[in-house]
Amino acid sequence: MSIYADHAATTAMSEAAIEAMTRCMREYYGNPSSLYRIGQQAKEVLEQAREDIASVIHAESREIYFTSGGSEADNQAIRSAALAGKKKGKNHIISTAFEHHAVLHTLEQLKTEGFEVTLLDVHENGVIRPEEVEAALRPETCLVTVMYANNEIGTIQPIREIGAVCRAHQVLFHTDAVQAVGPLSIDVQAENIDYLSASSHKFHGPKGVGFLYARKGVPLLPLINGGAQEKGKRAGTENLPGIVGMAAALKETVAERDAEAIRLTGLRDRLIAGLKEIPHSALNGDAEKRLPGNVSFCFEGIEGESLLLLLDEKGISASSGSACTSGSLDPSHVLLAIGRVHDVAHGSLRLTLGRENTPEDVEYIISAVKDVVSYLRGFSPVWRDLQSGKTPFIL
Ligand SMILES: *Cc1c(COP(=O)(O)O)cnc(C)c1O
């Protein structure tokens, strides 16, 4: 038995992407900057990928910049808007407490460079309120950055409404859409998005490649200096096979999107219903405003780490938070942000379903999690104290 239920961490590459990459590596080895035919053929392939990707989010192809992934795109968008703001005397940035570390750590660094950052409350349901974005705006606000969908609890943010607030106040708006590009339909025009980050390996493309959408006319500074690739905004010979693989994976994901959303929502809701039968458990984040494949739970009286190890023994790959924080014993900043106390946040489990998962997988996961949770509670001192009434139950 082997069930991969960690699609928010990464996804298996699709056959279409592997084929497109292999072909690209064999046939288009030229440097897209070279003027002879072999180089120009590579350039054509590069620009076709850019067009294909742009059309998925209703952007123009000249607004797409290829990067090494989601983290780089986040860094570039945020630093570009921030440094341009500072030149005009604007040094305030609004974000949220449950962003990915690629955003939060960039903001931490900007604080040491004289920026002020307001992190909005994400509330118990893990959803930002647009009116609170508006209330946090100051004359010196240069950027609002709010993720499209959260990578741990899967909650989807009111991006269109936040975009409208930013547009009305002429403040730049970035969204980390790494979890959303693929599963959700996105329109950067209608949603007033100025910058958007995406990563190929979250939608069945290769790792180490992603893109930044930057609306024409918005500030954009290179993080990497060198040649004139990507209109001078990202130096270095393009990762052509990676870019071509990403475009192929995205096209395929988008073609299946609507049917897949319905199928995964059904599996997700069945999984949630099954896990809810476990006493003293709770779903993290809004039950409806969440990604089709995301299930995030807290179980009182156990350690998420031991839960993961035992599930792994039963053939299930899951996560207790984001891959970047597991391995450390700090509870997830996302679970703390939605108001989970430390002890409860420690007993968390994230199962993210995707393309390969079946209804049988879901039934197997439900029974495995039930077994493992009751086994672990059997010798947990925390659980004993809860049972005896020495400490009160929270969930
Ligand atoms: C995975 C992820 C990232 C990082 O993307 P990489 O391509 O791995 O650098 C950023 N933000 C979110 C929300 C993610 O899920």
Side-chain angles (χ1 to χ4, degrees):
M1 181 61 76
S2 173
I3 297 175
Y4 185 74
D6 203 13
H7 290 79
T10 195
T11 54
M13 273 188 67
S14 76
E15 277 309 315
I18 294 172
E19 266 171 41
M21 285 182 82
T22 314
R23 172 148 185 249
C24 176
M25 287 188 276
R26 286 214 179 87
E27 293 177 24
Y28 304 108
Y29 56 85
N31 187 323
S33 300
S34 301
L35 293 178
Y36 42 74
R37 205 176 321 144
I38 289 175
Q40 288 310 295
Q41 282 167 349
K43 173 92 178 159
E44 271 171 35
V45 170
L46 176 69
E47 294 313 320
Q48 184 61 51
R50 201 186 305 278
E51 261 176 47
D52 291 346
I53 287 170
S55 72
V56 166
I57 59 167
H58 301 265
E60 291 177 27
S61 61
R62 61 179 166 149
E63 297 172 313
I64 302 296
Y65 298 84
F66 294 120
T67 67
S68 66
S71 300
E72 184 186 328
D74 283 342
N75 275 258
Q76 190 172 9
I78 293 170
R79 290 199 75 81
S80 295
L83 298 186
K86 201 173 184 185
K87 280 196 184 145
K88 297 190 203 156
K90 295 182 170 191
N91 70 337
H92 177 239
I93 301 171
I94 298 172
S95 188
T96 80
F98 73 166
E99 295 297 310
H100 189 274
H101 283 141
V103 170
L104 287 179
H105 292 171
T106 302
L107 295 177
E108 281 303 317
Q109 186 166 354
L110 286 170
K111 278 206 232 169
T112 70
E113 297 170 27
F115 285 88
E116 281 187 52
V117 176
T118 300
L119 296 184
L120 298 168
D121 189 354
V122 301
H123 304 281
E124 207 178 316
N125 67 348
V127 182
I128 296 292
R129 300 184 186 158
E131 60 273 22
E132 293 180 6
V133 176
E134 188 153 37
L137 288 169
R138 301 182 195 165
E140 65 274 18
T141 307
C142 57
L143 172 69
V144 172
T145 171
V146 174
M147 70 198 322
Y148 209 111
N150 184 270
N151 48 302
E152 289 189 39
I153 59 174
T155 50
I156 299 168
Q157 305 307 310
I159 292 300
R160 184 182 294 251
E161 291 77 5
I162 297 171
V165 167
C166 293
R167 184 54 54 91
H169 293 269
Q170 296 195 335
V171 172
L172 291 168
F173 177 40
H174 165 251
T175 184
D176 174 341
V178 172
Q179 292 289 333
V181 170
L184 304 181
S185 151
I186 296 176
D187 182 335
V188 292
Q189 300 303 332
E191 295 169 84
N192 283 317
I193 297 167
D194 295 312
Y195 303 92
L196 174 145
S197 311
S199 175
S200 156
H201 75 101
K202 302 290 174 78
F203 51 77
H204 300 278
K207 292 169 180 59
V209 60
F211 67 88
L212 172 63
Y213 153 79
R215 180 186 298 281
K216 55 183 180 292
V218 300
L220 195 60
L221 304 172
L223 296 180
I224 298 174
N225 296 291
Q229 291 92 353
E230 302 296 301
K231 299 199 287 289
K233 305 302 183 187
R234 209 284 182 177
T237 303
E238 299 85 349
N239 172 8
L240 192 60
I243 291 165
V244 164
M246 166 163 70
L250 187 57
K251 265 170 118 173
E252 189 184 32
T253 302
V254 169
E256 305 175 336
R257 178 165 57 210
D258 296 346
E260 192 60 357
I262 294 169
R263 191 186 74 87
L264 284 177
T265 302
L267 294 184
R268 176 196 75 188
D269 291 344
R270 167 65 194 131
L271 183 51
I272 290 173
L275 297 183
K276 268 194 180 151
E277 289 167 11
I278 297 175
H280 304 288
S281 69
L283 177 70
N284 296 313
D286 197 274
E288 270 131 44
K289 290 181 195 134
R290 69 191 301 130
L291 290 169
N294 179 291
V295 175
S296 168
F297 259 77
C298 281
F299 304 103
E300 222 171 343
I302 60 162
E303 280 285 342
E305 306 289 315
S306 11
L307 181 57
L308 288 191
L309 293 177
L310 292 173
L311 288 178
D312 186 29
E313 279 183 17
K314 290 177 181 282
I316 299 169
S317 307
S319 157
S320 66
S322 67
C324 327
T325 46
S326 60
S328 86
L329 276 177
D330 288 339
S332 135
H333 69 286
V334 174
L335 298 176
L336 297 179
I338 60 167
R340 295 282 186 228
V341 299
H342 278 239
D343 280 356
V344 170
H346 270 306
S348 66
L349 175 66
R350 178 185 76 180
L351 294 154
T352 43
L353 305 172
R355 191 175 283 166
E356 316 83 23
N357 294 121
T358 63
E360 292 74 40
D361 289 355
V362 168
E363 297 311 316
Y364 180 83
I365 294 172
I366 293 170
S367 89
V369 175
K370 281 181 175 172
D371 288 352
V372 171
V373 168
S374 73
Y375 171 76
L376 287 172
R377 281 174 172 171
F379 53 83
S380 154
V382 180
W383 181 251
R384 199 183 319 121
D385 289 348
L386 289 165
Q387 287 285 48
S388 68
K390 200 167 151 198
T391 52
F393 279 112
I394 294 166
L395 301 182

